[in-house]
Amino acid sequence: MTNLLPTGLPRIEHLQMLGIVKRFPGVLANDHVDFDVRSGEIHTLLGENGAGKSTLMRQLYGLYRPDEGRILIDGVEQHFHSPQDAIAAGIGMIHQHFMLVPTLTVVENVALGLKSSRGPLLDLDKVEKRVVELADKYGLKVDPRAYIWQLAVGEQQRVEILKALYRGAALLILDEPTAVLTPQEVEELFAVLRQMANDGHALIFISHKLHEVLAISTRITVLRDGRVVGERPNKDVTKTELATMMVGRPVILQYDRVEQQPGPVRLSIQDLYVRGDRGGDAVKGVSLDVHAGEIVGLAGVSGNGQRELAQALAGLRPARQGRILLDGRDVTHASPSERIAAGQSYIPEERMRDGAIKDFSVADNYILEDHGKPPFARQIFLNFREIEHQTRRAVEAYAVKTPSLNTPLKNLSGGNIQKLILARELSRTPKVLIASQPTRGVDIGATEYIHRRLLQQRQEGTAILLISEDLDEIRALSDRIAVMYEGQIVGIVDGRTATTEQLGLMMAGVREKAGAV
């Protein structure tokens, strides 16, 4: 086997990170971590949020420097002071949020920041020729002269990979690369990654989606609290084992949904139009009913109108046309507080912007929406004893880990903040619950807890609209699944029988045939 890649550049046969320690004030992010990857393999780094995955990779890419430990490439110690050093050593990184300039073409983005072979004159024709060669070699179909803003999200990701390959990446770090892709785009990406591994590239895959990890990995290393808790070959491990290693206890990944007959319509959305932030309608004629005792999942790739729809339902964004009925009452133009009074609760996508105040205490955030009402208030005075009593009950019931009720919310983990918001929103036993991305940025243990609470609320008769970009979550919880594409619902299917392929096609704009649920 030659030691050159098909690109003509040398392979990285073996990269080792030995005894890596990284400290931040009050936090030991990496605690003597050993990690390695070899040419021709896809090694997954798995762990909950805050486990230390990104910190470890940022040291490999030169964004941080280790406090202790060594980085070796083929036995030679390396010292990376910047990403430029890492790139020069053959290491590339594909970030979760793409680093592309929308108003430039594919070729211009690839060439950006690199020296021209013609001195002060551009050599975009040479760059384009090389980009086409790489695209053909790795199946990265993209028009080299297209502007980035004209490309779909999956195509933009191909441009990022082409950028890394053009710069000579023999080792590629992929940080949550599937977060914004449809299932079909994920399959296309995985085909590219498998070919790269077969050609001798070393790949590091960072993810929290267990089914994807098992689909793509050669080896899997699990981090927990900054330490390596285990390394397994893919063939010797299951989803359940990986989840247990990540959390430190058994985790339930499949839920038994109790079959029940849905009740009357609690939320009715009728021909709704909502403007987006860039002008024009982000929601275009959406109609959807949610019944008591059912969960309707709303799926779709980010940016197809889900956020604007959720905000309109919560009263945070005006509806331009159409109606919203809450238990038969027209609340289209009602304020958020009027909707709360009518029996609606809302778990927002941006919890720290729309759902909580980070500098307020845990107790203050728990009473945020009801602080002027009994039992939290007596006329114009706060009832501090009752506030403490009710908050303590909620914190215990929802397993919110906090040093005290007076701790500022910003000191809690994302999962505990989300559990507190869930406790607050469910405490008033709502008729309708709008849950927008309820487990985004939340670890697998907190996710399991939130899912159980949503299913319990369904059994108690709440009508739940679950808006999520996580298809596993949508399929695990939903009785019916609606899919949004470019501001419209392209189909509604039965949650028990819907397949990932079927949902993926709908997420790409293929309409479901008439006769769906």
Side-chain angles (χ1 to χ4, degrees):
M1 184 167 69
T2 175
N3 64 348
L4 293 180
L5 295 166
T7 56
L9 294 165
R11 299 170 185 264
I12 291 178
E13 296 293 350
H14 192 198
L15 178 131
Q16 297 166 280
M17 302 182 78
L18 304 174
I20 300 295
V21 175
K22 186 62 185 174
R23 299 181 182 89
F24 298 104
V27 177
L28 181 55
N30 292 141
D31 185 1
H32 297 89
V33 172
D34 290 340
F35 180 82
D36 76 308
V37 62
R38 294 179 181 276
S39 169
E41 77 168 345
I42 302 172
H43 193 161
T44 290
L45 196 54
L46 183 66
E48 295 184 305
N49 291 297
K53 309 184 299 295
S54 293
T55 300
L56 186 68
M57 289 300 102
R58 283 172 183 162
Q59 291 168 88
L60 179 55
Y61 194 58
L63 291 165
Y64 296 155
R65 295 187 66 186
D67 296 323
E68 297 177 33
R70 298 188 300 153
I71 297 172
L72 283 73
I73 294 180
D74 296 334
V76 179
E77 187 165 352
Q78 308 290 321
H79 298 279
F80 299 144
H81 301 280
S82 70
Q84 197 170 358
D85 293 342
I87 291 167
I91 297 171
M93 187 167 184
I94 310 297
H95 298 273
Q96 186 174 345
H97 303 290
F98 304 150
M99 306 291 185
L100 300 171
V101 180
T103 53
L104 298 182
T105 66
V106 170
V107 170
E108 288 167 347
N109 269 276
V110 171
L112 196 61
L114 298 177
K115 286 183 179 180
S116 169
S117 61
R118 296 177 185 152
L121 302 177
L122 292 175
D123 59 352
L124 293 181
D125 55 336
K126 286 190 172 183
V127 177
E128 181 177 338
K129 184 182 177 185
R130 181 65 176 147
V131 165
V132 170
E133 288 173 1
L134 290 169
D136 288 344
K137 172 62 190 169
Y138 290 100
L140 294 161
K141 295 176 185 175
V142 67
D143 179 358
R145 298 188 183 186
Y147 289 96
I148 296 299
W149 63 265
Q150 296 174 319
L151 302 180
V153 175
E155 292 175 307
Q156 291 183 32
Q157 188 169 62
R158 290 174 210 157
V159 178
E160 284 282 23
I161 295 173
L162 284 169
K163 264 177 61 180
L165 291 173
Y166 187 90
R167 284 161 168 75
L171 183 153
L172 200 58
I173 305 163
L174 299 113
D175 188 3
E176 300 281 359
T178 64
V180 292
L181 303 182
T182 66
Q184 280 77 12
E185 288 172 327
V186 170
E187 278 306 313
E188 289 172 8
L189 172 66
F190 282 5
V192 171
L193 299 184
R194 291 186 187 106
Q195 184 182 339
M196 289 178 69
N198 288 338
D199 285 344
H201 287 270
L203 302 174
I204 300 174
F205 186 79
I206 304 173
S207 181
H208 67 276
K209 298 179 180 179
L210 296 178
H211 68 282
E212 291 182 357
V213 167
L214 290 172
I216 194 65
S217 308
T218 310
R219 278 192 293 156
I220 302 162
T221 290
V222 182
L223 285 185
R224 187 171 76 233
D225 297 328
R227 296 180 180 178
V228 173
V229 293
E231 180 202 301
R232 299 281 190 278
N234 190 355
K235 65 180 187 297
D236 294 338
V237 74
T238 65
K239 271 190 191 180
T240 304
E241 288 175 273
L242 290 176
T244 301
M245 289 165 71
M246 287 168 68
V247 180
R249 62 171 177 79
V251 176
I252 294 174
L253 300 172
Q254 295 292 329
Y255 307 100
D256 294 324
R257 274 190 316 225
V258 176
E259 289 294 326
Q260 60 186 37
Q261 199 64 30
V265 173
R266 293 290 190 213
L267 174 67
S268 183
I269 306 166
Q270 301 176 359
D271 197 29
L272 194 68
Y273 287 79
V274 182
R275 285 207 184 281
D277 294 331
R278 299 179 182 177
D281 290 324
V283 177
K284 305 168 187 174
V286 165
S287 295
L288 182 67
D289 289 341
V290 186
H291 297 255
E294 79 163 344
I295 297 177
V296 174
L298 188 64
V301 177
S302 178
N304 279 281
Q306 308 96 308
R307 181 172 65 93
E308 291 82 358
L309 176 62
Q311 290 175 343
L313 296 176
L316 299 174
R317 184 182 288 265
R320 186 177 71 75
Q321 187 180 317
R323 296 204 303 163
I324 302 168
L325 303 182
L326 205 162
D327 206 19
R329 173 184 166 187
D330 192 330
V331 295
T332 311
H333 304 293
S335 68
S337 60
E338 289 170 330
R339 294 174 203 232
I340 290 169
Q344 178 174 289
S345 285
Y346 174 51
I347 301 170
E349 177 179 344
E350 297 284 349
R351 56 178 171 256
M352 296 308 288
R353 187 187 72 188
D354 300 329
I357 299 174
K358 65 179 182 178
D359 293 317
F360 279 22
S361 70
V362 169
D364 289 342
N365 273 284
Y366 182 71
I367 66 166
L368 209 52
E369 295 166 340
D370 299 310
H371 63 276
K373 305 171 191 172
F376 301 132
R378 296 179 184 148
Q379 297 176 339
I380 64 169
F381 299 103
L382 290 172
N383 183 346
F384 291 105
R385 179 176 295 177
E386 193 62 26
I387 290 169
E388 182 181 357
H389 173 65
Q390 296 283 359
T391 306
R392 192 170 300 284
R393 272 181 53 186
V395 163
E396 291 173 358
Y398 284 77
V400 180
K401 294 178 183 175
T402 176
S404 80
L405 303 184
N406 296 318
T407 299
L409 196 75
K410 63 186 177 185
N411 292 351
L412 271 59
S413 71
N416 285 305
I417 292 171
Q418 196 72 332
K419 286 195 281 187
L420 182 70
I421 292 172
L422 190 72
R424 183 186 69 205
E425 297 304 314
L426 298 186
S427 66
R428 56 178 86 94
T429 57
K431 296 175 184 175
V432 172
L433 174 65
I434 312 297
S436 184
Q437 316 294 346
T439 59
R440 175 180 282 173
V442 170
D443 64 47
I444 196 169
T447 293
E448 176 201 25
Y449 185 88
I450 291 167
H451 286 172
R452 285 173 171 278
R453 283 289 180 174
L454 292 176
L455 289 171
Q456 181 183 332
Q457 208 65 29
R458 166 187 176 267
Q459 275 185 261
E460 292 173 7
T462 302
I464 300 173
L465 179 62
L466 170 64
I467 302 171
S468 177
E469 291 157 25
D470 186 336
L471 273 188
D472 286 348
E473 178 169 74
I474 288 280
R475 292 181 64 203
L477 301 179
S478 304
D479 298 291
R480 292 185 294 142
I481 301 171
V483 179
M484 275 189 85
Y485 176 75
E486 292 188 348
Q488 298 178 314
I489 290 181
V490 293
I492 303 174
V493 294
D494 190 321
R496 293 166 299 182
T497 58
T499 65
T500 300
E501 183 182 15
Q502 179 186 24
L503 294 172
L505 288 170
M506 292 164 69
M507 288 164 71
V510 178
R511 289 188 172 271
E512 182 67 11
K513 293 176 183 175
V517 176

